[in-house]
Amino acid sequence: MIEEAAKLLARSRFAIAFTGAGISAESGVPTFRGFNGLWKKYRPEELATPEAFWKNPRLVWEFYMWRMNLIRKAKPNDAHYALAELERMGILKAVITQNVDDLHREAGTKNLIELHGNIFRVKCTSCSYREYLKESGRVDEFLQEKDVPKCPNCGSLLRPDVVWFGEALPEDTLDKAFRLAERAQVCIVIGTSGIVYPAAYIPQIVKERGGTIIEINVEKSGITPIADIFLRGKAGEVMDKIVRLIK
Ligand code: OAD
Ligand code: ZN
């Protein structure tokens, strides 16, 4: 099975990857669903909404600061590096991720589409102020702040520049992702439950256009019914083997 996956990838002229929280699990970043997906007594789905934010911005910011602090210490794992390597080899044309953790960029992926935003980016709830904390070098300062973060421009509340439940994805980002999916001959789906839309349309579009789906997950997901090859295992271990086989 894994040999077949490697062969398909090596021969493809246009492959993409579609990733979710499971690809970062081996880096120590908790996934959203399942036993390890809890923060205090809340499910992420209860906190990652505009309603939750306006009801209790402090609680929602506390959750995001906790995640940002965890993610800041996390390093990319073999799966992130394998995807960057496949891009350098000219096999992979893009990584489309649902993750906000920046680990694909850290691993060296160049053509990265972040469908759900980036946890190190913040934006103002009133004006057009935006900041990428890694670029401005303010991650530490931000995490030490005891108050709810305010816009340096207008004083309104800042919020994480991520997509919350009930919010639309940025149109240009989604468009770009759909166009890549339309062209893809192979799509490697890694570590996603595949139940959050519109992101989960990506592999479906690939499949409808006659492309092949290779899925890597520790368990079956919403994508598994359309997967041509299902490789059960940890993302880092399986991807490392695939890259070795291709080489
Ligand atoms: P989930 O937490 O829903 O799913 C994680 C998936 O990773 C599950 O299918 C696990 O079986 C799998 N998994 C766990 N460890 C793994 C490993 N080491 N190797 C391979 N697979 C592993 O995360 P997502 O599918 O990313 O949205 O969730 C989708 C979206 O829902 C997120 O982007 C976020 C969330 O709420 C927003 O915030 C808008
Ligand atoms: Zn502002």
Side-chain angles (χ1 to χ4, degrees):
M1 279 302 241
I2 193 162
E3 287 80 8
E4 202 186 325
K7 215 179 278 173
L8 269 166
L9 273 168
R11 285 182 189 159
S12 76
R13 253 170 297 147
F14 203 100
I16 61 171
F18 175 61
T19 69
I23 196 171
S24 299
E26 287 154 271
S27 295
V29 182
T31 59
F32 292 96
R33 293 169 185 83
F35 181 70
N36 288 321
L38 284 169
W39 177 71
K40 297 191 177 175
K41 58 188 193 310
Y42 303 97
R43 283 181 295 120
E45 299 95 307
E46 293 175 70
L47 294 167
T49 69
E51 291 76 20
F53 181 75
W54 290 114
K55 200 174 139 203
N56 194 345
R58 189 174 295 272
L59 176 74
V60 173
W61 260 119
E62 209 187 316
F63 169 64
Y64 277 95
M65 298 278 195
W66 171 75
R67 271 190 82 85
M68 200 192 289
N69 191 39
L70 255 175
I71 288 169
R72 181 173 66 132
K73 295 176 197 148
K75 303 256 179 313
N77 64 56
D78 284 350
H80 299 101
Y81 287 120
L83 293 180
E85 176 79 27
L86 288 178
E87 184 181 52
R88 280 194 294 273
M89 290 163 89
I91 293 170
L92 206 64
K93 302 301 182 219
V95 173
I96 302 169
T97 190
Q98 299 165 86
N99 300 343
V100 299
D101 58 26
D102 230 358
L103 292 179
H104 285 298
R105 189 172 285 110
E106 295 267 327
T109 288
K110 294 280 180 289
N111 195 17
L112 176 64
I113 295 178
E114 295 171 306
L115 289 177
H116 294 160
N118 185 308
I119 198 164
F120 296 104
R121 291 181 194 273
V122 296
K123 63 180 180 188
C124 179
T125 52
S126 303
C127 75
S128 60
Y129 183 82
R130 279 181 140 79
E131 184 177 345
Y132 181 31
L133 297 169
K134 274 191 184 171
E135 214 168 63
S136 60
R138 290 216 307 139
V139 177
D140 285 344
E141 189 187 319
F142 211 77
L143 288 171
Q144 277 156 19
E145 184 62 56
K146 300 231 158 33
D147 263 343
V148 176
K150 302 266 171 58
C151 175
N153 203 22
C154 75
S156 301
L157 280 181
L158 285 179
R159 58 163 282 180
D161 196 356
V162 300
V163 177
W164 282 330
F165 284 98
E167 291 185 320
L169 274 64
E171 210 175 317
D172 50 334
T173 309
L174 191 62
D175 257 23
K176 226 165 133 187
F178 281 177
R179 269 200 297 273
L180 285 161
E182 284 163 6
R183 292 181 63 187
Q185 294 175 330
V186 177
C187 178
I188 330 171
V189 179
I190 309 173
T192 178
S193 52
I195 54 169
V196 174
Y197 286 88
Y201 283 127
I202 307 282
Q204 290 180 20
I205 293 169
V206 176
K207 184 78 178 183
E208 277 162 20
R209 297 289 178 116
T212 304
I213 308 293
I214 300 169
E215 183 182 23
I216 300 164
N217 201 310
V218 290
E219 56 187 54
K220 286 186 178 165
S221 76
I223 310 292
T224 315
I226 62 161
D228 298 278
I229 299 179
F230 179 74
L231 303 170
R232 190 185 294 271
K234 290 187 175 177
E237 292 170 13
V238 178
M239 282 310 299
D240 188 55
K241 272 187 208 149
I242 289 182
V243 169
R244 282 171 202 272
L245 283 167
I246 293 175
K247 280 181 174 165

